[in-house]
Amino acid sequence: MSYLITQTLIGSWNYMHSCREECQKDAYNDFLRTLNRIPQETTPAMQNGIDFENEVYKAAAGISRTAHPKWESGINAVAAIIKGAPVQVKAQRELTIGSMDLLVYGIMDAIKAGKIYDVKFSNKSFSSVDLAGKYLDSPQHPTYFYLEPEAQEFQYLVSDGVDLYTEVYTRGNSRPFKEIAEEFLSSLDAMNLLDAYKENWEAR
């Protein structure tokens, strides 16, 4: 028997341990919902991210579309980078941690020439946020490096609809995903949540 492990699940767990103290209670509750696979309502901020990403894919593919009144500059900047790349690429790879067999699964926004691209939308303008090193501790690029052994670079393409911020990681300066997965399972065990994980995330 194997158990599914995804970027969404790992990311929710990671945020619970890395967020500010005043956010920890909400982060813990969000993680429990993710762990128990309880559907979450799409917020306006989340919908903006979905809409932006879809517009980027259309622009990159040259599909006829109506220009977005506020985001067009950002859409075109991101689309120019991923143009010609396959998008929404699904990947999975097995991993064994101790006695547990895992199935790592993810969907990459775009990948070409050994580079993985992840499209993100910021609901806050870049002038109001601190961007440098924003994704340094994110488990997303280590997860996708594990899923795509041939990829050597991961680029976060972040736009507020106007400007583009790019944060780049290489395989050499990214933490091995196996270490993160080991910590994840140990953490669940310490919180008495390992059984909940096994119950809800069995790979089928």
Side-chain angles (χ1 to χ4, degrees):
M1 185 179 299
S2 62
Y3 301 94
L4 195 64
I5 187 166
T6 68
Q7 147 61 21
T8 301
L9 178 61
I10 289 284
S12 179
W13 163 79
N14 183 71
Y15 179 70
M16 177 180 63
H17 289 287
S18 62
C19 67
R20 299 189 308 274
E21 185 176 352
E22 62 269 24
C23 300
Q24 287 179 354
K25 183 177 180 180
D26 287 342
Y28 176 73
N29 290 330
D30 285 343
F31 173 66
L32 288 182
R33 283 191 286 269
T34 302
L35 184 66
N36 290 293
R37 306 191 86 162
I38 298 173
Q40 298 189 39
E41 183 179 348
T42 301
T43 65
M46 292 166 61
Q47 190 61 52
N48 282 343
I50 294 169
D51 294 343
F52 179 83
E53 193 171 313
N54 287 335
E55 291 301 308
V56 165
Y57 295 151
K58 291 177 186 177
I63 297 173
S64 178
R65 48 181 289 276
T66 301
H68 194 284
K70 294 182 179 180
W71 300 344
E72 199 62 15
S73 177
I75 289 168
N76 289 327
V78 177
I81 295 174
I82 68 168
K83 185 176 181 180
V87 299
Q88 293 291 283
V89 179
K90 297 178 181 179
Q92 63 182 43
R93 186 180 174 192
E94 295 177 345
L95 173 66
T96 298
I97 303 291
S99 61
M100 288 189 66
D101 294 325
L102 307 176
L103 182 64
V104 188
Y105 176 82
I107 303 176
M108 286 160 283
D109 288 347
I111 180 170
K112 66 175 178 178
K115 296 180 181 180
I116 301 170
Y117 299 92
D118 189 74
V119 180
K120 293 192 181 298
F121 180 76
S122 173
N123 283 279
K124 296 181 179 179
S125 67
F126 287 168
S127 61
S128 65
V129 295
D130 183 13
L131 293 169
K134 180 176 176 63
Y135 300 99
L136 179 64
D137 296 322
S138 171
Q140 185 168 5
H141 52 281
T143 303
Y144 288 174
F145 276 137
Y146 182 78
L147 285 169
E148 287 293 328
E150 301 304 315
Q152 297 300 318
E153 186 173 294
F154 185 106
Q155 292 191 17
Y156 292 96
L157 305 177
V158 190
S159 178
D160 59 358
V162 178
D163 297 313
L164 173 65
Y165 167 71
T166 303
E167 193 162 300
V168 181
Y169 292 90
T170 65
R171 186 173 294 276
N173 65 11
S174 299
R175 192 177 177 201
F177 176 73
K178 186 175 182 180
E179 290 184 3
I180 297 173
E182 288 172 340
E183 284 192 7
F184 170 70
L185 294 178
S186 294
S187 175
L188 290 185
D189 192 29
M191 292 188 293
N192 295 316
L193 294 174
L194 192 56
D195 286 343
Y197 170 63
K198 291 180 178 180
E199 179 179 347
N200 291 290
W201 291 84
E202 182 181 340
R204 297 179 174 86

